[in-house]
Amino acid sequence: MSAPRRVLLEPAYLLHHRPWSDTSRILELMSRNHGRVTLFARGVRRPGSALRGVLQPFVPLLVSWSGRADGGTLTGAEIGGALRPLPPAQLMCGFYLNELLLRLLPREDRHDRLFDAYADAIGQLAGSADHRPLRVFELILLEELGYGLELARDAASGAPLEPDRYYHFQAGRGVLAAGDVAGDPDAIRGCDMLAVSRGEFDQPAALAAARRILRAAIGHCLEGRGLHSREVMLALRQREQDA
């Protein structure tokens, strides 16, 4: 259990909030120096509260609290940087990032690099129409949690991947050479697998490969638990296709 503390103007992002009594909320925050923290925000649901418009997702914040990080009391919050609202088309991508952190990041586990990666992803989503920022963030998230992917070598033989050969990715095992790839939708060219290992998603084939690989790897970390934000994104995509 963490020791009592008083924290002032800590860089943070709001991941989730839920009601607590008629006038207060419970906040889940990703902070730079203290990791994921849970705070009680008293009175913020009152109509006259100055914090109602401040405590919003995807907004860079400076928050202050007293007590323990897991159940402390919010004492102040203010905007901590330039505001770049996410466009409606990217809102679910932002909620997806938030849900990943809520599901996978342990409480009070400091990850400076992951905090910066989240801030970069939100900033890029605000000015981008594609999902490349998600893939970059997912790679860093897996590395920071100790589940970094080895995508440059065959998991069975240890041999470097051949750019023109086809491979399969198996979560928990790694990359394995594919046999007969005729009609195999899961086979990925070695050059695309290598591009994913370098975090290079400029080519459509590499970006598509990254989506499949990272979905499988994150699903393995979630141990079968689904993500609500992903289900919503899939439903919206299907609606667009049916329209």
Side-chain angles (χ1 to χ4, degrees):
M1 182 178 293
S2 59
R5 60 165 72 97
R6 182 173 178 82
V7 178
L8 297 176
L9 300 178
E10 167 71 7
Y13 283 89
L14 177 65
L15 301 179
H16 182 68
H17 61 85
R18 60 189 185 275
W20 175 58
S21 80
D22 292 337
T23 60
S24 305
R25 289 192 179 278
I26 298 174
L27 311 178
E28 294 284 352
L29 297 158
M30 167 67 166
S31 71
R32 180 173 178 79
N33 298 299
H34 301 277
R36 185 162 70 89
V37 299
T38 303
L39 302 177
F40 291 92
R42 301 179 185 276
V44 297
R45 299 180 68 193
R46 293 193 180 102
S49 172
L51 295 182
R52 289 191 68 172
V54 174
L55 296 172
Q56 300 294 328
F58 320 125
V59 173
L61 300 172
L62 295 173
V63 299
S64 303
W65 72 83
S66 60
R68 304 181 189 278
D70 188 9
T73 299
L74 183 78
T75 58
E78 60 187 70
I79 304 299
L83 294 180
R84 297 187 64 193
L86 291 185
Q90 296 289 54
L91 279 174
M92 286 311 305
C93 294
F95 286 122
Y96 169 71
L97 297 184
N98 287 3
E99 192 173 6
L100 283 180
L101 291 172
L102 288 167
R103 293 289 190 91
L104 296 176
L105 187 64
R107 296 182 188 277
E108 300 183 71
D109 194 358
R110 176 174 176 169
H111 288 277
D112 299 29
R113 182 182 177 219
L114 187 58
F115 181 88
D116 292 341
Y118 177 87
D120 288 344
I122 293 299
Q124 291 175 34
L125 286 171
S128 171
D130 64 37
H131 291 173
R132 279 181 289 183
L134 301 186
R135 308 290 86 89
V136 174
F137 179 82
E138 289 168 334
L139 274 176
I140 295 174
L141 174 65
L142 290 170
E143 291 173 4
E144 287 292 300
L145 296 179
Y147 297 105
L149 305 179
E150 173 53 82
L151 301 176
R153 291 184 176 275
D154 188 303
S157 67
L161 267 57
E162 300 176 23
D164 293 327
R165 191 171 182 180
Y166 282 83
Y167 298 86
H168 289 140
F169 174 78
Q170 293 186 13
R173 291 193 64 189
V175 179
L176 299 170
D180 183 7
V181 298
D184 185 350
D186 295 324
I188 299 173
R189 286 187 67 190
C191 59
D192 297 322
M193 196 81 74
L194 290 168
V196 176
S197 73
R198 297 189 297 266
E200 299 173 357
F201 308 131
D202 293 333
Q203 298 301 317
L207 185 60
R211 182 172 177 270
R212 288 158 50 193
I213 292 167
L214 292 165
R215 172 176 289 187
I218 288 173
H220 182 73
C221 294
L222 290 168
E223 299 178 339
R225 295 171 294 165
L227 291 171
H228 178 67
S229 55
R230 180 182 287 166
E231 294 171 0
V232 173
M233 283 193 289
L234 290 174
L236 291 174
R237 189 177 298 124
Q238 185 62 49
R239 179 181 297 179
E240 291 174 355
Q241 292 173 355
D242 294 341

